[in-house]
Amino acid sequence: MIRYNKNTRLLVLDNKSIGYVVYVNDAGYLETLYFGKHLAGYSDFSCVRNNGVYASPYYDVARGEERTYADGFKTDAVPLEVSPHGLSDKRGAPVIARGKEGGFETDLRFRSLRRMKGAPAIEGLPHAHGDCETADVLLEDKNLRLRAHLYLTIFPDKDILIKSFCLENGGKRPLRLTRAMSMQLDLPRADYDLVHFYGRWAKERDYCCAPVTDGVQEISSNYGRSSAEENPFVFLKERTATMDRGEVIGFNLIYSGNFKFRTRVGTYGGLHILYGINDEDFEWKLGAGEKFYTPQAVIAYSDAGVDAMSQTFHRFIRENLMTYAANRDYKPVLFNSWEGCYFDFDTDLILSYIDDACKLGTELFVLDDGWFGARNSDAAGLGDWTVNEKKIDLKRIITHCTAHKIKFGIWFEPEMVNPDSDLFRAHPEYTLGWGRNELSVSRHQFHLDFSNPEVVENVYRQMRAFLKEYPVDYIKWDYNRTVAEHVSAAYPADRQGEIYHRLVLGFYSLLGRLTREFPKVMFEGCASGGGRFDMGVLYYCPQIWCSDESDPAQRIDIQFNTSLGYPLSAIGAHVNDSPVASYATKAALALFGTYGYEMNPGKLGKEEIDTLDKMADVYRKYHRDVIEDGTLYHLRAPYEGNTMCMQCVSHDRTTSLVLFMNKLKEMDVYRFVRLRGLDARKRYRNTLDGQVHTGEYYEKIGLNFSTTWMSEFTHGLVLLTQEK
Ligand code: GLA
């Protein structure tokens, strides 16, 4: 899978379906010769190398003469793994370091290479694992005494390439990293569309597609979290690519903080991509002998359209990223108290909620915000993680769940503090930005200084004490504001550029510690809905609350778009009280996620209870094999028209679920939706019209969704089962 030929200086990484080729040139730069489908042979790259562009001259100071690189290397035109900085290549370097002289030149050149089994363990950061192989390419800047391990990881069974760096100060004086991104990828062509997912609270991950333009484009977050405004998942697609055809290259970062994905169409053609931690306000002091690990950038390659890329990401996330021991198990039907009663509850109300929720097939009851400290509104209590015993009897609530044979879960927001809290009164200096005359508040709360290990330790002790006393099965980990005043009293002036990243490290250290110590507790991520929906969180949490907007008017898009990069099993989806659609429609949508409820269950009529309970049965029966472990196909994109259609096919291809939805009314329409992923020769009965057809029929002709009339937000949920 990984080969390096010392004579030809070609490094090849490949599996049965993809290939990646790097050449170590005379000057010691790594030229990226090929990334794409697997090739039968990897020796004939002479034309790629000698592409007609003239070689760059350089002046050899020791010899006192002008020379050109022996192998015709043109420094700013040739695709590279790591561009230098401060030299003639202006495309952009992934790593910039400053030494004792304060200069910016960073020139990393090849030293040696070794192969290793598995993926590198990235200290303090979530990372990929499993059956894979890594090329550890050592580069060095001799002046700076900076060593950079470029890790390239490939899997035998997935069209994935992972890139990251470990930067090591081999000198005696500190270095200052002013950019430490995870990867550079230079592609020979730039005629792609760039797809990214921008948004805001309650409208996360809108699909945005536009041609890669000349010059520089940037998709990034500087909110301190991966953010609702942009998601680290982006992809390039050939202009003509569709869901099932064409070249698509997907990117994601195993990271939850500020990121930057930057494209630059080079003066000499080609597309230059940098991806990693956002370098805005970033600076890291790297002491002698110290190491800095960048997050891993994950690249998925497809020559068969968008769906093949998204399926690759789904499998990678479930098999090579998530660490929750039971992540491959069935996820319980969840009832969350938030939208039902917000802060306004007492023990009796929650007990009645539990009784009513059980009629809907609930298997996990979650008490959301409002159970701790003096928390009766969002103005107080964050930071005080002890039960508000005046308000509720938590033990009684848990016992009640146990009596109903259901699990119990609870809400935390560990990284935050209200000024009106005991924690803040005792430790105002735990607040990020403390010392300023004015601090920004958002939702009446401050961000705790999670760059300070003492603060993390304080919250850890509180949460640990809680978990030891109350046997909960689940924690919803919320994060309801973005970072402002990213300055920490715990660090000197020359280390303030580290704070954004250290906040993320603090978050991972607490979440990592708790998930390791309480491996049976399932943690669900959340951040004002879907404001931190990323691969970093998914390493610890098998699911993430996708958005505070459950109304199908927005949800259809949010869930569909999220599922282009993330598996359905990770997408928290609840049925709520939204009047836009029927309970059956809302439930069908939630079924294509981790199904749950969020409403006042006492207000439901008998018919609604029956509908939801039946849907919970469908979820129980099919979620594991068809939705979680199955293959997802995006048949109709809501951003392209009035309808949305997704299909899941079980691994053994015996069962499939199809969800069809419309937004606006539609009159009589003649419409067949072609399915995918079925066995062409097998026969399947469908529950739409009860007919039996072959897989080939469904693929070539389709499922008959012709209608006489559709009002707003209706749905068709169709089960296909193979005939014996
Ligand atoms: C955030 C979450 C909601 C809920 C509230 C509680 O907005 O996204 O689901 O938990 O916080 O305050």
Side-chain angles (χ1 to χ4, degrees):
M1 279 212 326
I2 295 182
R3 302 179 290 286
Y4 180 63
N5 183 324
K6 281 197 171 135
N7 298 322
T8 60
R9 284 185 263 143
L10 281 184
L11 168 66
V12 177
L13 293 93
D14 70 341
N15 60 26
K16 282 194 192 113
S17 64
I18 59 168
Y20 194 70
V21 184
V22 174
Y23 169 69
V24 182
N25 74 16
D26 284 347
Y29 293 110
L30 307 178
E31 298 185 16
T32 312
L33 297 190
Y34 180 73
F35 179 39
K37 270 324 264 181
H38 172 90
L39 302 177
Y42 288 95
S43 51
D44 188 14
F45 289 99
S46 47
C47 283
V48 183
R49 291 240 45 258
N50 301 311
N51 49 20
V53 182
Y54 65 89
S56 296
Y58 68 97
Y59 190 80
D60 188 325
V61 179
R63 291 181 186 222
E65 64 184 24
E66 187 173 309
R67 313 185 73 195
T68 44
Y69 293 109
D71 54 2
F73 170 50
K74 176 152 177 59
T75 50
D76 50 354
V78 169
L80 292 181
E81 285 296 291
V82 184
S83 278
H85 183 78
L87 309 181
S88 56
D89 184 351
K90 299 297 179 197
R91 292 172 294 186
V95 174
I96 304 174
R98 303 179 70 189
K100 63 176 192 306
E101 290 156 357
F104 288 88
E105 303 104 287
T106 308
D107 192 10
L108 292 159
R109 309 223 196 168
F110 182 79
R111 278 285 304 271
S112 61
L113 185 149
R114 73 185 179 106
R115 279 171 299 179
M116 57 191 220
K117 279 232 156 306
I122 311 275
E123 272 167 34
L125 287 172
H127 53 266
H129 50 80
D131 180 16
C132 56
E133 230 188 312
T134 300
D136 171 0
V137 188
L138 179 62
L139 307 163
E140 190 178 28
D141 181 313
K142 286 197 177 130
N143 282 334
L144 293 170
R145 315 242 357 229
L146 172 68
R147 285 199 284 265
H149 292 266
L150 164 67
Y151 298 123
L152 302 169
T153 300
I154 189 157
F155 292 79
D157 60 344
K158 289 185 188 78
D159 296 355
I160 289 258
L161 179 77
I162 299 183
K163 288 185 156 199
S164 70
F165 288 103
C166 167
L167 306 170
E168 197 179 347
N169 183 351
K172 293 206 169 68
R173 289 164 183 267
L175 293 170
R176 277 180 289 160
L177 300 172
T178 59
R179 188 185 287 165
M181 295 180 81
S182 301
M183 59 148 248
Q184 169 173 340
L185 181 68
D186 285 353
L187 298 170
R189 51 184 280 205
D191 53 341
Y192 292 100
D193 283 336
L194 172 61
V195 178
H196 62 106
F197 299 88
Y198 75 98
R200 64 190 87 104
W201 175 73
K203 203 172 187 322
E204 296 87 345
R205 290 173 292 288
D206 244 350
Y207 183 91
C208 178
C209 174
V212 171
T213 58
D214 283 350
V216 173
Q217 269 172 297
E218 174 183 317
I219 310 297
S220 63
S221 162
N222 57 2
Y223 290 86
R225 61 188 190 186
S226 47
S227 91
E229 286 72 12
E230 286 286 5
N231 193 275
F233 165 54
V234 295
F235 63 90
L236 296 169
K237 66 181 194 59
E238 254 180 340
R239 300 265 157 79
T240 52
T242 61
M243 284 295 176
D244 59 352
R245 273 185 206 96
E247 184 176 75
V248 180
I249 307 174
F251 301 82
N252 210 329
L253 198 65
I254 308 181
Y255 193 58
S256 308
N258 290 347
F259 69 90
K260 185 195 270 189
F261 179 88
R262 196 192 82 152
T263 57
R264 177 170 184 151
V265 179
T267 321
Y268 301 100
L271 178 60
H272 176 78
I273 301 166
L274 293 181
Y275 192 24
I277 293 178
N278 194 338
D279 56 353
E280 181 180 308
D281 294 356
F282 172 87
E283 190 175 72
W284 193 274
K285 190 169 170 187
L286 195 66
E290 282 178 1
K291 290 178 180 163
F292 181 90
Y293 287 90
T294 74
Q296 291 175 326
V298 186
I299 311 170
Y301 184 85
S302 158
D303 73 339
V306 175
D307 266 343
M309 169 210 60
S310 77
Q311 289 156 7
T312 299
F313 274 135
H314 297 166
R315 283 180 52 228
F316 168 78
I317 290 171
R318 285 173 52 68
E319 293 167 18
N320 305 101
L321 182 66
M322 288 176 171
T323 51
Y324 174 58
N327 89 66
R328 300 188 58 80
D329 289 355
Y330 160 82
K331 303 284 181 328
V333 175
L334 183 159
F335 187 101
N336 180 296
S337 66
W338 180 243
E339 286 190 28
C341 56
Y342 297 102
F343 295 106
D344 194 12
F345 58 83
D346 58 17
T347 307
D348 286 343
L349 185 74
I350 297 301
L351 295 181
S352 77
Y353 265 42
I354 294 169
D355 294 339
D356 290 333
C358 284
K359 296 178 195 150
L360 312 174
T362 295
E363 296 160 302
L364 163 65
F365 184 88
V366 178
L367 180 58
D368 207 277
D369 197 354
W371 58 269
F372 53 89
R375 186 84 167 164
N376 289 312
S377 75
D378 57 13
L382 288 176
D384 302 337
W385 301 108
T386 47
V387 179
N388 181 350
E389 283 170 358
K390 280 190 230 130
K391 188 170 177 180
I392 49 151
D393 181 344
L394 194 57
K395 292 221 163 118
R396 211 173 134 210
I397 290 170
I398 296 178
T399 310
H400 200 67
C401 285
T402 315
H404 272 293
K405 298 197 171 56
I406 64 168
K407 297 178 173 187
F408 177 75
I410 202 151
W411 183 94
F412 275 89
E413 195 178 354
E415 294 144 278
M416 300 292 166
V417 67
N418 284 118
D420 184 0
S421 68
D422 292 341
L423 181 68
F424 181 79
R425 281 180 284 271
H427 290 291
E429 77 283 6
Y430 282 5
T431 304
L432 191 64
W434 192 243
R436 298 276 175 276
N437 290 332
E438 229 177 76
L439 280 180
S440 55
V441 281
S442 179
R443 213 189 185 214
H444 314 289
Q445 67 198 55
F446 295 144
H447 200 297
L448 282 173
D449 182 1
F450 258 47
S451 70
N452 180 356
E454 185 186 318
V455 179
V456 178
E457 183 68 22
N458 180 297
V459 181
Y460 163 73
R461 290 211 176 140
Q462 292 195 55
M463 291 182 77
R464 184 171 178 274
F466 174 89
L467 283 165
K468 290 272 178 204
E469 188 169 354
Y470 298 95
V472 305
D473 304 289
Y474 161 106
I475 283 180
K476 177 174 169 186
W477 184 302
D478 214 331
Y479 183 73
N480 279 319
R481 66 161 291 177
T482 57
V483 174
E485 291 102 11
H486 48 284
V487 53
S488 164
Y491 291 86
D494 66 344
R495 304 207 81 139
Q496 295 301 328
E498 301 176 14
I499 301 309
Y500 267 132
H501 183 54
R502 286 194 182 275
L503 291 174
V504 183
L505 295 179
F507 162 54
Y508 291 150
S509 81
L510 181 61
L511 184 55
R513 221 165 150 188
L514 290 168
T515 46
R516 279 192 302 275
E517 227 168 293
F518 301 93
K520 293 212 171 108
V521 178
M522 178 166 94
F523 287 72
E524 174 159 356
C526 178
S528 316
R532 192 158 64 179
F533 204 113
D534 59 61
M535 282 193 172
V537 171
L538 288 174
Y539 177 80
Y540 308 94
C541 304
Q543 59 191 60
I544 304 177
W545 180 226
C546 178
S547 175
D548 278 344
E549 181 58 275
S550 292
D551 183 331
Q554 320 275 19
R555 257 286 168 160
I556 292 177
D557 291 74
I558 297 171
Q559 274 181 228
F560 184 96
N561 296 345
T562 304
S563 75
L564 290 172
Y566 302 93
L568 293 180
S569 70
I571 300 177
H574 299 171
V575 181
N576 77 347
D577 273 338
S578 148
V580 157
S582 70
Y583 279 95
T585 296
K586 290 182 287 187
L589 186 56
L591 203 70
F592 273 63
T594 56
Y595 185 75
Y597 307 112
E598 194 160 334
M599 62 195 37
N600 178 348
K603 282 198 184 157
L604 297 170
K606 170 139 187 13
E607 211 177 298
E608 290 152 353
I609 294 174
D610 284 352
T611 303
L612 294 177
D613 189 32
K614 277 200 196 110
M615 207 56 108
D617 277 341
V618 176
Y619 177 81
R620 253 187 293 277
K621 201 156 171 204
Y622 298 107
H623 179 78
R624 171 71 203 275
D625 292 343
V626 184
I627 305 276
E628 282 214 16
D629 274 350
T631 308
L632 173 65
Y633 297 92
H634 298 92
L635 304 182
R636 295 223 169 179
Y639 48 79
E640 279 176 349
N642 190 37
T643 56
M644 183 278 282
C645 191
M646 289 194 265
Q647 180 198 5
C648 282
V649 182
S650 65
H651 195 59
D652 62 7
R653 301 208 282 174
T654 59
T655 318
S656 177
L657 270 173
V658 180
L659 174 65
F660 178 84
M661 286 193 151
N662 67 300
K663 293 183 179 175
L664 305 180
K665 289 175 193 161
E666 277 193 13
M667 50 178 291
D668 312 7
V669 180
Y670 173 69
R671 171 167 40 213
F672 282 76
V673 176
R674 288 172 168 179
L675 305 188
R676 290 172 50 205
L678 299 173
D679 186 325
R681 284 162 309 164
K682 301 265 165 61
R683 296 169 64 75
Y684 300 85
R685 183 178 298 280
N686 80 70
T687 56
L688 183 66
D689 53 21
Q691 295 197 12
V692 177
H693 303 289
T694 59
E696 183 184 46
Y697 174 98
Y698 289 112
E699 196 156 313
K700 299 282 186 292
I701 295 169
L703 205 51
N704 185 359
F705 276 113
S706 305
T707 49
T708 45
W709 173 256
M710 279 195 309
S711 46
E712 289 101 342
F713 299 103
T714 55
H715 80 282
L717 180 67
V718 184
L719 174 70
L720 289 102
T721 36
Q722 193 188 307
E723 290 279 278
K724 295 264 154 47

